[in-house]
Amino acid sequence: MDTDRTPAPAPAPELHGHGLRLCTWDVERDDHVEAWWHGQRDPEFKRWNTPLVFVTDMDSSRDSLRRWAERTADGEGVAFRVADAASGTTLGQISVSAVNRTTRSAIVGYWVLPEARGHGVATRALRLMARWALADFGLHRLELGHAVGHEVSCRVAEKCGFRYEGTLRGAMFEAGRRDAFRDTHLHARLTTDPEPNPNPAPNPAPNTDPEQTP
């Protein structure tokens, strides 16, 4: 196997484009820690995500950011702070995690602060980060999974060239629980896939949630 492009530990770069700046979080800055906590305690975040370690206050938020800094230093992933390019205001977070250096694959995750929604932040951030991960970070495959019924994430994935690959049964915790599971939709993008159309036609994944209407 060609290992020349295998990800190796390195400082995470700053990424610029689409009106955004993607940079690492500063664990020593209270405004960064507060923004992280704000995002994690948002009801919409909690509806669709159940973190392995819950963030409950500023201290646990700072600990969470420290763990991300350690993963970045070890080459296991990186969490980018998504900021407005002009003002520097924090808009959300996007990450690459579970980096497998053998298969050159990783998992994408993101969230957007409530006040920043409705402006295409997730789509713009994912396009920017995916281009870096597949071209410069040396990955071959990026996976994006979301709970069935989360149609916004489905649309973001499709717009960014992450093709729908199927439904994974019981692959994610139910909201706020560790004793129950729910299905997820799996999307992925490869280095060999074409760049996504800036204005793609709608192509949502099949809706398998009976409580969701088309």
Side-chain angles (χ1 to χ4, degrees):
M1 176 181 291
D2 179 10
T3 59
D4 290 345
R5 288 166 53 82
T6 300
E14 280 200 6
L15 308 179
H16 300 263
H18 307 302
L20 301 175
R21 179 167 67 98
L22 273 55
C23 54
T24 52
W25 296 81
D26 186 345
V27 69
E28 301 302 328
R29 287 187 53 168
D30 287 346
D31 58 331
H32 283 203
V33 178
E34 170 60 33
W36 185 269
W37 184 24
H38 180 30
Q40 301 261 324
R41 68 178 183 260
D42 170 52
E44 274 297 293
F45 174 88
K46 291 182 176 181
R47 178 185 178 191
W48 301 113
N49 303 275
T50 303
L52 295 178
V53 178
F54 289 116
V55 168
T56 58
D57 53 25
M58 287 286 284
D59 287 340
S60 56
S61 296
R62 202 179 300 274
D63 288 342
S64 180
L65 288 177
R66 284 198 182 100
R67 286 192 294 272
W68 268 111
E70 291 168 358
R71 292 186 198 122
T72 301
D74 292 339
E76 298 175 358
V78 57
F80 289 102
R81 183 177 71 96
V82 180
D84 180 81
S87 68
T89 301
T90 301
L91 305 175
Q93 183 266 167
I94 191 164
S95 63
V96 180
S97 64
V99 173
N100 186 314
R101 299 180 187 178
T102 301
T103 61
R104 287 163 43 197
S105 62
I107 297 172
V108 175
Y110 61 84
W111 47 260
V112 176
L113 292 173
E115 58 271 23
R117 292 180 188 140
H119 301 284
V121 171
T123 299
R124 290 183 283 143
L126 182 54
R127 283 176 179 256
L128 185 59
M129 191 278 298
R131 185 179 299 115
W132 166 79
L134 295 171
D136 300 322
F137 193 53
L139 297 178
H140 169 69
R141 175 181 171 88
L142 281 176
E143 295 186 356
L144 188 161
H146 63 81
V148 170
H150 196 346
E151 299 303 321
V152 172
S153 272
C154 243
R155 290 193 294 272
V156 169
E158 293 287 345
K159 288 178 181 178
C160 295
F162 285 72
R163 300 181 186 178
Y164 172 70
E165 295 189 341
T167 299
L168 305 180
R169 297 177 301 146
M172 179 183 288
F173 287 126
E174 286 283 0
R177 299 179 62 178
R178 299 282 177 75
D179 59 348
F181 298 85
R182 53 184 162 176
D183 298 346
T184 67
H185 281 166
L186 175 64
H187 299 257
R189 180 172 161 184
L190 308 179
T191 54
T192 51
D193 289 338
E195 279 290 312
N197 187 329
N199 299 294
N203 183 27
N207 187 352
T208 58
D209 186 345
E211 295 184 359
Q212 295 288 326
T213 56

